[in-house]
Amino acid sequence: MTRTRPIRVIQWATGGVGTEMVTTILDHRPDIQLVGARVYSQAKHGVDIGRIVGRDQIGVTATIDTAEILALDADLVLYAPSFTDLDDVCALLASGKNVATPSFLFHPRRIPEADRRRLQEACEQGGATIHGSGLNPGNLSGVLPLALSGMSRTIDQVTLQERADWTLWESTEITFDGMWFGRPPDEVTPSANGYLSFLTKLFVEQTWFISDTLNAEIDDVSVSLECVPATKDFEMFGHVVRAGSTAGQRWNFRGHRNGKTLIEFETLWTIGGEYPGHWPKPLDGWTLTIEGDPSMRTHFFPLASFSRDASIEEHVKAGLITVAMQVVNAIPAVCDAPAGFATMADLPLIRSYTGFGNR
């Protein structure tokens, strides 16, 4: 579609991922114009969004007032909070704003009926579209298997393993308040708090996404979680993790048909640099294995660079960039999509806008 003006975008949340979205738009996307920002901190309220992300002022001030955001004239909202709110998302859609998010709604067909109906009605009211596109769950457990399936004749099993140590990730609100690392292992369950329940639903939803798009016709999805204790005390961004408290979480989400596992997502998450000896030992990052005709395997690991020296901070930031870019690069496609839900299987192939930069 030929556009006569930039796409008007609102940034919702300016944490690690949100900051990468904003700086990308300012530095690399002349086709996108930032027209508003929703923040959660009183200290950011009224501050120019350029200053919030370490750039010059751009004449757009951030606000904590959702009503102000709803009143803005915008084409799309980049919705990137750590904790989602369905009421806010429905209000945005009903106001006529498309929503692209790395946070949830990867497979709306498998969310609770009442939630799906609310979202659909909001989309219809506003003539808007919503697209969910995370990393994992998200692209690595959705787009990547679909892309590789194009080289398959038949598929017997899909397995994605994620191995990651969270020690250098500064989003301690998620690590400790959400994931409950540092708590007694017997307290941490898939439904122990709102965030863990939400995370469980996302991976279950993602398992069904692969089943529904690749004709697995699974019967159910099982969820298991093994928590392992820290062997010593250590400190992480001001949080003291005691020996015996949770320092490792192994999640398994398995989609079965006739009792056989056809789809499995396994996460092997640790803090403190310890790794249980009895756990599987895939490479750090994500390993996708497809058993079938033919069988294939690929490994994904984002870094700041594989050819130059880079700091640990740069490497950690690289992960945030991967999450942000898959949503920012999808903005035009989401705006062009019909009103309603646009999943990773519905949109065209999302590629880099800037690429090598030679336009």
Side-chain angles (χ1 to χ4, degrees), residues 144-184:
L144 187 58
L146 295 187
L148 292 184
S149 76
M151 294 181 281
S152 295
R153 181 153 45 198
T154 59
I155 296 173
D156 299 320
Q157 188 176 52
V158 173
T159 303
L160 179 71
Q161 292 175 296
E162 175 183 347
R163 177 176 174 176
D165 188 280
W166 295 26
T167 306
L168 298 174
W169 193 37
E170 290 191 68
S171 295
T172 55
E173 181 183 29
I174 292 179
T175 306
F176 294 103
D177 298 337
M179 295 300 299
W180 276 12
F181 279 102
R183 295 280 192 112

Side-chain angles (χ1 to χ4, degrees), residues 7-43:
I7 300 172
R8 297 171 304 228
V9 167
I10 294 167
Q11 180 65 49
W12 188 296
T14 55
V17 172
T19 293
E20 297 305 331
M21 291 176 169
V22 171
T23 55
T24 296
I25 293 170
L26 296 181
D27 296 346
H28 301 287
R29 298 300 300 260
D31 62 320
I32 298 174
Q33 177 187 4
L34 283 165
V35 297
R38 166 70 160 89
V39 292
Y40 290 86
S41 165
Q42 189 67 46

Side-chain angles (χ1 to χ4, degrees), residues 106 134-149 158 160 206-207 209-210 213-214 265 288 344-345:
F106 310 130
L135 185 61
N136 183 43
N139 272 244
L140 295 179
S141 48
V143 174
L144 187 58
L146 295 187
L148 292 184
S149 76
V158 173
L160 179 71
Q206 193 69 51
T207 308
F209 175 82
I210 291 299
T213 53
L214 292 179
F265 298 131
L288 174 66
M344 291 171 276

Side-chain angles (χ1 to χ4, degrees), residues 13 72 80 94 99-100 104 122 126 129 133 136 143 192 231 264 266 286 313 319 330:
L72 288 174
V99 174
F104 73 142
T129 301
S133 180
N136 183 43
V143 174
T231 60
E264 179 172 8
E266 178 175 57
W286 292 264
E313 289 75 19

Side-chain angles (χ1 to χ4, degrees), residues 206-289:
Q206 193 69 51
T207 308
W208 281 108
F209 175 82
I210 291 299
S211 174
D212 292 338
T213 53
L214 292 179
N215 307 315
E217 295 187 357
I218 58 176
D219 303 314
D220 61 76
V221 179
S222 66
V223 181
S224 63
L225 169 60
E226 177 196 4
C227 292
V228 295
T231 60
K232 61 182 181 299
D233 293 353
F234 62 91
E235 186 173 333
M236 177 180 163
F237 295 111
H239 292 260
V240 177
V241 178
R242 300 295 183 188
S245 66
T246 299
Q249 297 183 15
R250 178 185 181 184
W251 294 74
N252 292 90
F253 303 86
R254 298 182 176 98
H256 311 96
R257 187 178 68 199
N258 298 326
K260 180 181 178 181
T261 298
L262 300 189
I263 303 162
E264 179 172 8
F265 298 131
E266 178 175 57
T267 67
L268 303 152
W269 292 329
T270 56
I271 58 174
E274 299 184 69
Y275 195 82
H278 66 283
W279 280 10
K281 295 177 176 58
L283 296 172
D284 288 332
W286 292 264
T287 302
L288 174 66
T289 303

